[in-house]
Amino acid sequence: MSKITTIIKREYLSRVRKKSFIVMTILGPILMAALMIAPVVISQISERDYEIAIVDDTSLFYESFTDQSNIVFIHLQTNVDQVLSLMRDGKFDAVLHIPEIAFQAPSSLRLFSEKATNLNAKMLVENVIKQEFESLKLAAAGIDEEVLRTIETPLNIHAIRIRKDGLEQTDYPEVSMGLGIVSGLLIYIFIFLFGSQVLRGVMEEKTSRIVEIIVSSVKPFQLMFGKITGVGLVGLTQFLIWIILTFSIIGLVRVSVPELFKFSPDEQVYVNSAQMLNPQELQNQMESIQQSNTTAGELLAGLAAINFPVMIGSFIFFFLGGYLLYGAFFAAIGAAVDNEADTQQFMLPITIPLLFSLIMAQMVMNNPSGNAAFWLSIIPLTSPVIMMVRLPFGVPYTDLALSATLLVIGFLFATWIASKIYRTGILMYGKKVTYAELWKWIRYK
Amino acid sequence: MEYLFRAEHVTKHYNQHCALDSVSIAVPEQSIFGLLGPNGAGKTTLIRIINQIIAPDTGNLLLNGRTLKPEDVHKIGYLPEERGLYKKMKVGEQAVYLAQLKGLKASQAKKELQSWFEKFDLMPWWNKKVEELSKGMQQKVQFIITVLHKPRLLIFDEPFSGFDPINVNLLKHEILNLRKNGATIIFSTHNMGSVEELCDHIALINKSRKILDGNVRTIRKEYSGQLFQIELENMVSPLEDMLDNRFELIGSTKKNGILSARIKVRAHLSANELLKQIMTGAQIVSFHELIPSMNDIFIKNVTGHFPFKQEESAED
């Protein structure tokens, strides 16, 4: 077995066998699945009804308020002060007071409550009263409400992209946006998570002084490369286990508690069509049901339109590429400093391009084929995050290939530079390292 | 003489700073070679160059007469001065790992390690983490790792630091054993006592230059300064009268009728001349040459003069 393989094996096994790795690997998917399932569960838990007493001095609106799923209205025709004292006794949660002058001075409306105001209740009340006031005003102006309703036009434009091969494809920017930001963020987190593991590993070897024993057997570059690769494989292992476990947990919950995942008949059509394998057929199905758009349906259709093999493949590639690029720098920093505190000053230049990509992600999402998006997804320092943000919107294969090639060149170059800093740094103790010093190390033969 | 290792005119610069200036050493086969010098003289740089951790700017390195190649790391065992192990890794596993990096197969390494661990009473610690071991035990493990792959050339940098006297003895015994079994050893230390005890040859490096080298006995002889210690009784005449201007009396004390004196003999004269001069006038109780210790020679070469209490220290 070659020495690099031996090093990779040690770096990999020593991390994978750690308790913290096993705990994170198992807890991660449970947390992720919980994040996905929790909203569904919470929305189904019925809270105690929120009771609002209405004191309507104008007597105009008693009919307007209808009970909602968890907001109940109680109509009272007594004095406000009396009602308020009833509220204090805990008879109801809030009191809505509509004074005589409400129509002329809407700001005189009051919603009293003893605890913090329930935002849903406030919005509901506001909507109802607004509608009532508007129809009163319409009536006063002599406009028929029915006429107005026919004028109102619900609108949701279907964004259709004409592809190079002439086929039309519906875009779902909202879905692409969500998917893009999630995968971009994941890459960002992974690079930092495993990059700092490289940093700590190198520092451990330097401060424990085992490094001099090792470099008398292997070249410093072999040690650095073995460590970066080993930690990278740990990251990949964790990612794959997470993906598999997350989907298994969601699947399990779906089978065991199917009522959580009931779709409205409308949505069911989308689900069925999303599960179909033939893309053309799927496309046709999509077109046929787009007349009756619902948000959930749009989401499902959007997800179905994403090319997941390309997404996951690219994710793994850009994660590895980005990690190797930044991992080399992390290793160089670990070698250059003597203690954790000194890492800060050198972390900045690494953090900035990563953070910058995350900030630019918003701009890229607004215009995924713009110049900024193109360049940021090509330049190796920002491309891992930005390309993942861009990818769900559809990226030409030429861009993808160019970005991938540059990323490979980028991490080879970074590894070359880093190895020069690394081989000098690991044997250098008790010296305050500056950027000028690092530059000298790079230029050593 | 057969030389296992030679360094010829090795020079190394770190920018403006010169770490080694045309240093040459020749290490005879199956000997213990002391690499001496004050802190910062360039010893560690030279050792790292021999280990191919860093490359010299100029100069040749020859192992067994052939230029040193990267594969030769398997033939060299190195125990650095600043040494450590992975604290969280198990002792046995770690030793096998480091042996694998030296080119041993895992199974073979395990077998060899077990016999060494038995010898050093470390077997019960095989499955313990390194951080659970005492410092002395960690040092033993490091020593074993250094010699495990049976290198022909061993480099020990301050091997005894951190060992208690019992383990120092154990280690000395093992080092002499290794030489007996054919290994050649480069031994870097500040402990001059152990140099006299162990080393056959030395090289002294100061301010990145080699300033002295050769066989230990020859060097001490060279630095002897023609100083003799003599004890006399039943003297016929005072000692001063027996000596002419070829000899210089440095000091004398009298105790229980025995005169103990220190006499310096002019260069090129042998001890016999001195004895001839005294024999007739007194009975000689004892006579020996005062040979300076390696410690004195070290300090003389580095600072330019013998240590303040040269006479006293010369006696032990």
Side-chain angles (χ1 to χ4, degrees):
Chain A
M1 194 166 23
S2 89
K3 288 178 184 177
I4 289 194
T5 330
T6 310
I7 295 170
I8 293 174
K9 203 174 132 199
R10 192 203 86 85
E11 297 295 337
Y12 181 79
L13 288 179
S14 72
R15 283 180 176 77
V16 168
R17 284 190 301 204
K18 260 190 206 158
K19 282 193 197 77
S20 56
F21 175 84
I22 297 168
V23 168
M24 267 310 284
T25 308
I26 294 170
L27 273 187
I30 294 177
L31 282 174
M32 276 200 276
L35 274 178
M36 292 178 172
I37 294 168
V40 186
V41 176
I42 289 168
S43 70
Q44 307 230 333
I45 296 171
S46 55
E47 271 189 74
R48 192 181 62 84
D49 287 345
Y50 191 79
E51 290 174 48
I52 304 176
I54 300 170
V55 181
D56 184 2
D57 295 348
T58 62
S59 303
L60 285 171
F61 304 107
Y62 283 121
E63 297 303 310
S64 319
F65 293 98
T66 48
D67 291 352
Q68 302 290 312
S69 61
N70 48 16
I71 299 172
V72 178
F73 297 100
I74 302 158
H75 303 278
L76 295 171
Q77 276 163 318
T78 35
N79 182 290
V80 187
D81 296 329
Q82 269 182 327
V83 180
L84 281 178
S85 69
L86 280 174
M87 178 185 76
R88 272 189 220 104
D89 293 342
K91 291 279 188 295
F92 20 76
D93 300 289
V95 176
L96 173 68
H97 181 220
I98 306 170
E100 290 278 8
I101 53 162
F103 187 59
Q104 291 76 21
S107 60
S108 62
L109 283 157
R110 293 287 183 272
L111 184 68
F112 301 99
S113 60
E114 215 177 13
K115 291 178 203 137
T117 310
N118 181 323
L119 201 63
N120 277 337
K122 181 173 177 272
M123 272 158 55
L124 179 69
V125 168
E126 278 170 354
N127 268 335
V128 170
I129 295 178
K130 185 168 168 268
Q131 253 174 33
E132 288 302 320
F133 280 9
E134 278 172 3
S135 44
L136 282 176
K137 282 181 183 167
L138 285 171
I143 299 167
D144 189 356
E145 226 172 304
E146 281 307 311
V147 175
L148 194 73
R149 220 159 263 154
T150 54
I151 293 169
E152 229 170 63
T153 321
L155 185 67
N156 185 358
I157 294 180
H158 297 304
I160 296 181
R161 183 157 21 128
I162 301 173
R163 300 197 313 210
K164 287 252 162 66
D165 51 17
L167 284 174
E168 288 184 5
Q169 182 188 330
T170 314
D171 265 0
Y172 302 93
E174 295 83 358
V175 176
S176 307
M177 225 176 220
L179 203 61
I181 195 69
V182 165
S183 37
L185 201 63
L186 263 183
I187 293 243
Y188 173 86
I189 292 170
F190 268 45
I191 287 176
F192 262 114
L193 207 62
F194 294 101
S196 50
Q197 281 206 26
V198 170
L199 178 107
R200 275 200 303 276
V202 173
M203 273 183 56
E204 182 204 357
E205 275 163 2
K206 186 177 172 181
T207 51
S208 76
R209 313 270 171 144
I210 195 178
V211 71
E212 191 145 353
I213 295 180
I214 296 178
V215 293
S216 71
S217 312
V218 302
K219 294 249 160 291
F221 178 78
Q222 292 176 308
L223 179 60
M224 183 181 103
F225 183 79
K227 181 174 291 293
I228 293 175
T229 313
V231 174
L233 289 176
V234 172
L236 211 58
T237 309
Q238 193 157 52
F239 174 70
L240 290 178
I241 295 178
W242 277 358
I243 294 264
I244 293 166
L245 279 185
T246 304
F247 282 108
S248 327
I249 290 173
I250 292 176
L252 209 70
V253 172
R254 203 164 171 165
V255 171
S256 52
V257 202
E259 57 270 24
L260 278 185
F261 289 87
K262 280 221 180 86
F263 296 99
S264 69
D266 239 12
E267 290 163 353
Q268 195 58 49
V269 179
Y270 283 91
V271 175
N272 291 344
S273 57
Q275 281 160 354
M276 272 187 237
L277 292 173
N278 185 336
Q280 192 52 52
E281 209 169 316
L282 184 73
Q283 197 71 30
N284 298 340
Q285 281 278 340
M286 291 288 133
E287 306 292 348
S288 69
I289 50 181
Q290 257 155 21
Q291 316 309 327
S292 58
N293 243 327
T294 68
T295 326
E298 179 130 313
L299 179 80
L300 290 164
L303 282 175
I306 299 285
N307 189 342
F308 274 101
V310 169
M311 259 318 266
I312 292 179
S314 305
F315 184 88
I316 290 174
F317 177 85
F318 282 97
F319 159 60
L320 281 183
Y323 160 77
L324 287 173
L325 175 73
Y326 282 98
F329 289 132
F330 275 108
I333 294 174
V337 300
D338 276 349
N339 54 64
E340 197 99 35
D342 289 343
T343 55
Q344 294 311 318
Q345 58 160 330
F346 297 114
M347 285 293 283
L348 198 65
I350 295 190
T351 316
I352 284 175
L354 271 176
L355 212 56
F356 177 70
S357 354
L358 215 54
I359 294 164
M360 293 310 281
Q362 182 63 45
M363 197 179 145
V364 169
M365 284 188 300
N366 288 338
N367 188 3
S369 336
N371 266 335
F374 173 77
W375 286 109
L376 289 173
S377 65
I378 294 298
I379 297 165
L381 282 173
T382 52
S383 68
V385 171
I386 296 296
M387 190 47 105
M388 285 319 293
V389 172
R390 247 188 99 189
L391 211 57
F393 295 93
V395 172
Y397 283 114
T398 47
D399 284 17
L400 204 57
L402 180 62
S403 169
T405 314
L406 283 179
L407 188 57
V408 170
I409 293 171
F411 83 66
L412 288 178
F413 179 72
T415 308
W416 179 66
I417 291 277
S419 71
K420 281 171 169 273
I421 295 175
Y422 179 87
R423 60 166 194 198
T424 309
I426 45 167
L427 297 172
M428 196 74 77
Y429 294 100
K431 195 166 187 177
K432 188 82 188 145
V433 178
T434 58
Y435 283 106
E437 190 69 32
L438 290 186
W439 178 239
K440 264 190 222 158
W441 295 357
I442 291 171
R443 287 183 309 160
Y444 280 157
K445 270 191 297 164
Chain B
M1 205 173 338
E2 282 288 311
Y3 292 107
L4 178 76
F5 175 79
R6 295 172 77 103
E8 291 168 346
H9 305 293
V10 170
T11 301
K12 177 78 184 173
H13 287 266
Y14 289 109
N15 297 318
Q16 276 78 41
H17 172 69
C18 178
L20 284 176
D21 185 5
S22 190
V23 170
S24 302
I25 59 167
V27 183
E29 175 109 52
Q30 221 180 336
S31 72
I32 300 182
F33 186 93
L35 190 60
L36 317 179
N39 294 323
K43 285 181 310 220
T44 305
T45 304
L46 181 58
I47 288 175
R48 282 178 180 167
I49 286 173
I50 299 172
N51 277 300
Q52 304 182 75
I53 294 171
I54 51 179
D57 299 339
T58 57
N60 299 318
L61 300 158
L62 304 169
L63 186 70
N64 235 347
R66 287 196 310 270
T67 303
L68 199 63
K69 291 187 296 292
E71 306 86 85
D72 289 333
V73 290
H74 297 168
K75 297 178 189 154
I76 300 177
Y78 174 39
L79 184 68
E81 180 180 5
E82 296 279 4
R83 47 195 180 246
L85 295 165
Y86 290 113
K87 289 189 181 64
K88 303 273 176 202
M89 205 174 170
K90 284 179 183 159
V91 178
E93 201 183 326
Q94 177 153 199
V96 171
Y97 169 66
L98 292 169
Q100 279 178 299
L101 293 186
K102 276 290 185 190
L104 258 63
K105 284 205 164 52
S107 54
Q108 189 194 350
K110 212 175 225 166
K111 219 172 69 195
E112 302 271 348
L113 275 167
Q114 271 161 358
S115 75
W116 274 102
F117 269 50
E118 298 283 357
K119 196 187 219 165
F120 280 64
D121 293 327
L122 285 168
M123 216 46 219
W125 303 91
W126 183 275
N127 268 324
K128 292 268 193 309
K129 281 183 184 169
V130 169
E131 58 189 356
E132 295 172 55
L133 266 61
S134 72
K135 194 164 180 245
M137 280 194 275
Q138 293 187 26
Q139 302 263 38
K140 283 192 206 170
V141 175
Q142 286 156 345
F143 177 79
I144 294 171
I145 290 164
T146 311
V147 301
L148 192 74
H149 58 291
K150 299 196 180 85
R152 293 195 61 190
L153 180 63
L154 278 159
I155 301 168
F156 295 121
D157 199 351
E158 291 292 353
F160 303 129
S161 69
F163 276 95
D164 62 47
I166 296 165
N167 283 323
V168 166
N169 261 340
L170 178 73
L171 213 61
K172 278 182 184 164
H173 177 73
E174 287 305 328
I175 289 175
L176 291 171
N177 245 346
L178 286 164
R179 178 181 59 174
K180 201 171 79 193
N181 294 332
T184 305
I185 294 151
I186 295 178
F187 178 44
S188 167
T189 184
H190 291 125
N191 181 344
M192 293 301 144
S194 58
V195 172
E196 278 165 31
E197 195 178 340
L198 294 173
C199 292
D200 308 304
H201 301 266
I202 61 125
L204 178 56
I205 295 176
N206 187 33
K207 292 181 182 153
S208 48
R209 284 207 178 85
K210 184 182 76 182
I211 53 175
L212 179 71
D213 68 348
N215 182 288
V216 172
R217 206 169 306 149
T218 320
I219 289 176
R220 287 185 68 190
K221 188 89 182 149
E222 273 168 25
Y223 279 79
S224 66
Q226 303 282 79
L227 198 64
F228 296 90
Q229 174 92 25
I230 192 162
E231 283 182 324
L232 305 167
E233 60 180 3
N234 302 331
M235 301 182 60
V236 180
S237 57
L239 186 58
E240 288 88 340
D241 299 347
M242 289 186 244
L243 303 170
D244 55 38
N245 64 356
R246 294 178 300 164
F247 308 100
E248 185 191 342
L249 183 62
I250 289 183
S252 64
T253 52
K254 198 160 186 178
K255 210 187 206 174
N256 303 332
I258 294 176
L259 181 82
S260 171
R262 226 168 274 157
I263 300 162
K264 198 174 166 79
V265 178
R266 186 90 46 84
H268 313 302
L269 286 175
S270 72
N272 289 15
E273 300 288 331
L274 176 60
L275 283 174
K276 219 184 279 171
Q277 203 75 17
I278 296 167
M279 264 164 75
T280 51
Q283 194 170 343
I284 298 169
V285 178
S286 74
F287 178 85
H288 66 265
E289 187 174 5
L290 287 175
I291 297 174
S293 65
M294 279 311 297
N295 201 40
D296 299 331
I297 295 171
F298 181 96
I299 293 172
K300 165 94 167 71
N301 272 282
V302 172
T303 64
H305 49 76
F306 275 112
F308 185 60
K309 289 179 175 173
Q310 190 238 330
E311 268 78 37
E312 277 76 6
S313 64
E315 274 175 75
D316 28 72

